[in-house]
Amino acid sequence: MRQHVNPLSRNFNQIECIPSLVEMFGDSKLNLHLDIGCAAGEFLFDLALVNTSWNYLGIEIREKLVKNARLKAFEKEIKNLYFVFGNAYNILNNSQSEFIIKNLKSISFNFPDPWFKKRHYKRRVIQPGFINMLSNSLQKGTLIFIKTDVKDLFNY
């Protein structure tokens, strides 16, 4: 599988239909955490199994990882975990997905792709426009966690 996916590709302009919270989770009223760039979802699987009083939603741009994570969650009968495929900015900036942002209590970005070349910075998930859109849309008190091991990306 290719490690890097160009998030600016036209392939991500079309957004898959995102089910309602009631369809995604066993209890749609629980607090909602979103992990952007969740990869295979291991971080969210750990959280969902340990803390069943929260719902966990992962967005990943690599479709194969999302399909595998959905299957694993289904097989393990984890009712507080769901995965969505696509470009996080396009998904969360879409009016059909407003309900996700309105229900979020926390967001995490764990080790986002650094896109080291300056001409590729535009492909980074952490963009001023995206962070501004999130901060202007989220409920007051919603936490955003960003973790990286790349000093240049941290400084950016």
Side-chain angles (χ1 to χ4, degrees):
M1 177 184 320
R2 266 190 89 167
Q3 282 296 91
H4 297 286
V5 175
N6 181 358
L8 304 177
S9 169
R10 286 186 214 146
N11 297 342
F12 301 112
N13 288 345
Q14 183 147 356
I15 298 167
E16 74 174 59
C17 182
I18 302 191
S20 69
L21 294 177
V22 171
E23 294 171 287
M24 282 192 257
F25 303 112
D27 181 354
S28 63
K29 300 206 182 336
L30 298 177
N31 286 332
L32 180 61
H33 175 83
L34 172 64
D35 188 36
I36 295 177
C38 66
E42 294 306 316
F43 173 69
L44 292 179
F45 277 103
D46 290 345
L47 287 175
L49 291 170
V50 171
N51 189 359
T52 57
S53 63
W54 276 69
N55 285 326
Y56 297 94
L57 176 62
I59 297 178
E60 173 58 44
I61 200 161
R62 292 170 286 173
E63 189 172 20
K64 184 176 181 182
L65 293 178
V66 171
K67 286 180 179 178
N68 292 341
R70 283 180 182 167
L71 181 60
K72 183 177 174 182
F74 176 77
E75 288 173 346
K76 292 185 176 241
E77 298 181 359
I78 302 172
K79 304 289 186 206
N80 64 331
L81 179 58
Y82 194 82
F83 296 93
V84 172
F85 160 69
N87 176 309
Y89 177 80
N90 292 350
I91 291 169
L92 297 174
N93 200 35
N94 184 295
S95 61
Q96 305 286 326
S97 306
E98 274 182 24
F99 70 95
I100 293 173
I101 289 181
K102 299 296 180 204
N103 286 283
L104 286 175
K105 298 294 183 198
S106 59
I107 301 174
S108 57
F109 295 85
N110 288 307
F111 305 99
D113 215 343
W115 292 99
F116 291 106
K117 295 178 184 175
K118 191 166 185 105
R119 70 176 185 260
H120 291 161
Y121 283 9
K122 63 187 175 201
R123 297 179 181 173
R124 291 177 170 175
V125 70
I126 309 259
Q127 294 290 334
F130 188 35
I131 299 302
N132 286 337
M133 184 270 293
L134 287 173
S135 64
N136 290 329
S137 304
L138 295 169
Q139 300 175 43
K140 186 175 182 167
T142 302
L143 300 174
I144 299 177
F145 300 93
I146 303 172
K147 186 186 292 187
T148 182
D149 54 358
V150 177
K151 187 168 178 21
D152 288 341
L153 184 58
F154 174 80
N155 291 337
Y156 174 83

